[in-house]
Amino acid sequence: MMVGGSANECCQVYTSIRKSVLEYNLSRVGMEKLGMDSVQKMSWESLELRIKKWIMAVKVAVRVLYPSEKVLCNQVFNGLRQLAESSFLELSRGSVMQLMCFAEAITISRRCPEKLFKILDMYETLSDLLPAMHAVFSDELCLFIRDETRRTVMRLGEAARAIFVEFENAIQRESSKISVPGGAIHPLTRYVMNYIWLLYCYVGPLNRLLGEKKKEKPKLAELENQVSSYFHEDDGDNFADKLSPLGVQIVWLTVLLECNLDGKSKFYKEIALGYLFLMNNVHYIVQKVKKCELSSLVGKDWIEKQSNQVRQHATNYLRASWKKLLSFLQDEGFHVGGTFFSGGNSKNVLKDRLRCFNCLFEELHRTQSTWIVPDAELREELRISIEEKVIPAYRSFLTRHQSIINSGRGQHKYIKYTPEDLERCLRDLFEGNSFPVGTRRMSFSVS
């Protein structure tokens, strides 16, 4: 046919048949001919299934089908290099562009945080296939295919980075003012930390994508105070340099999350419950990082800072909740031996103090039994902290004023609880249930 001057006809027949065979084989592994408009109109659930098929199709195409077609082309057109190259390009170009067109359609679709992981799957797949793609399309005529594949990888990467920005914005925009009952874990906290956990599955590609952003400092002025300890202090650059690009990004996401949570804590009427809410949520963040092996990305310094933050919120809660109760157990208004400064009746003062103590304790018990500390270990630590403040102070108060307590009748009317009773009541706190305070009255004598 070459000698007879039918080279073009020969190539046309060959490429037509082999192109049909190639496209048939690709359709068997899931490739569909979809236009940009069709992709844009599809639901994300439908696209997720098609992305899975696309990944399978592009792997089979680059590793098996295209190399096989190129070998066959070279065998059929042995010694006719130019015809072999042009025939291979002609039969493969349409399917290559179809695969790249689908990927590009995904990159220009609406950018939502839930799309990140499928786009990362596509990015990682095509990035890993680049060397094989360049090898099979190494001919000069195929230069534009190599360039288009590289551009598609870049677009997928840019789309992933843009979704990161959108995720950051979504965290800041989440403005629900409905307080979580009992100061428990906010849905936003669970969502963000589960999202961050999924990022860990893409450490390699994300470190490549975010590498250029590693040394960037956040530009959001309104968050400068919150992130100063990480990025704007004298050692801020050193802190960032210790982490991988993904590690820096995760720290930044947690800073944005905690800033939002701090605003939500102000919606609670009880200041103490706001602190309990922050304690619970920051503790959840730290524990999620530890359990999901993210600690290797954020570093020990970050974990230590966050753990200190949990302790600070707990301290603020204790101060806001129990300081007033403990003030009723102070000796202001009493002389040693029980003589009142202002000349009033010491027994009456004592009765008033204990009456106020009982009322406030019962209110705290009734209220904070409905509050929640989901983590059992943290809940126990907080209860112990309360007991260490309240029980010794109460026992000491009764001991110091034992002479007044035992000097007359009716002490059972205002001494409602023994220290042991208080301790049992404190065990009810933070269970998320309502417990009635024990009301049995007891005579009390300090031994």
Side-chain angles (χ1 to χ4, degrees), residues 17 52 86 96 101 107 124 319 323 356 361 397 430:
I17 293 175
K52 186 177 180 180
S86 61
V96 172
C101 180
T107 65
E124 188 173 19
R319 186 180 297 115
K323 184 178 180 180
C356 292
F361 179 80
F397 182 82
F430 316 126

Side-chain angles (χ1 to χ4, degrees), residues 44 47 50-52 54-55 58 99-107 115-129 152-153 156-157 202:
W44 180 242
L47 284 177
R50 284 170 171 79
I51 288 173
K52 186 177 180 180
W54 179 89
I55 290 173
V58 76
L99 289 168
M100 298 303 114
C101 180
F102 177 82
E104 184 172 353
I106 295 296
T107 65
K115 295 183 179 181
L116 174 63
F117 304 104
K118 285 300 179 183
I119 289 178
L120 285 174
D121 287 336
M122 297 175 73
Y123 170 82
E124 188 173 19
T125 297
L126 203 54
S127 294
D128 292 344
L129 291 173
T152 302
V153 172
L156 288 168
Y202 297 88

Side-chain angles (χ1 to χ4, degrees), residues 12 33 39 66 80 82-83 112 114 120 135 164 174 192 218 246 250 252 274 325 331 337 350 371 385:
Q12 289 173 2
K33 292 184 177 180
V39 174
Y66 292 145
L80 302 168
Q82 186 174 359
L83 288 177
C112 305
E114 63 267 18
L120 285 174
F164 254 115
E174 206 291 317
V192 171
L246 179 57
I250 289 174
W252 176 229
L325 183 77
D331 281 338
L350 180 64
W371 295 1
S385 296

Side-chain angles (χ1 to χ4, degrees), residues 308-321:
N308 290 337
Q309 195 70 16
V310 173
R311 288 189 285 271
Q312 184 59 53
H313 290 316
T315 299
N316 292 340
Y317 153 78
L318 291 170
R319 186 180 297 115
S321 268

Side-chain angles (χ1 to χ4, degrees), residues 396-421:
S396 176
F397 182 82
L398 295 179
T399 301
R400 290 195 307 274
H401 303 289
Q402 178 183 4
S403 59
I404 301 176
I405 293 171
N406 295 330
S407 64
R409 299 177 181 178
Q411 64 265 34
H412 61 279
K413 294 181 180 179
Y414 49 92
I415 302 178
K416 295 177 66 174
Y417 307 107
T418 67
E420 290 72 24
D421 292 329

Side-chain angles (χ1 to χ4, degrees), residues 214-233:
K214 179 179 178 182
K215 295 184 178 181
E216 291 184 12
K217 296 181 180 180
K219 306 297 184 182
L220 302 175
E222 68 273 17
L223 294 173
E224 185 171 337
N225 291 333
Q226 285 80 0
V227 302
S228 62
S229 60
Y230 296 109
F231 296 101
H232 292 283
E233 288 184 346

Side-chain angles (χ1 to χ4, degrees), residues 182-234:
I185 309 303
H186 197 281
L188 178 65
T189 306
R190 295 186 187 278
Y191 173 71
V192 171
M193 294 313 299
N194 287 334
Y195 195 92
I196 289 176
W197 177 76
L198 291 174
L199 296 178
Y200 184 74
C201 302
Y202 297 88
V203 172
L206 282 173
N207 275 329
R208 291 198 300 271
L209 281 173
L210 300 172
E212 296 178 358
K213 297 179 66 179
K214 179 179 178 182
K215 295 184 178 181
E216 291 184 12
K217 296 181 180 180
K219 306 297 184 182
L220 302 175
E222 68 273 17
L223 294 173
E224 185 171 337
N225 291 333
Q226 285 80 0
V227 302
S228 62
S229 60
Y230 296 109
F231 296 101
H232 292 283
E233 288 184 346
D234 293 338

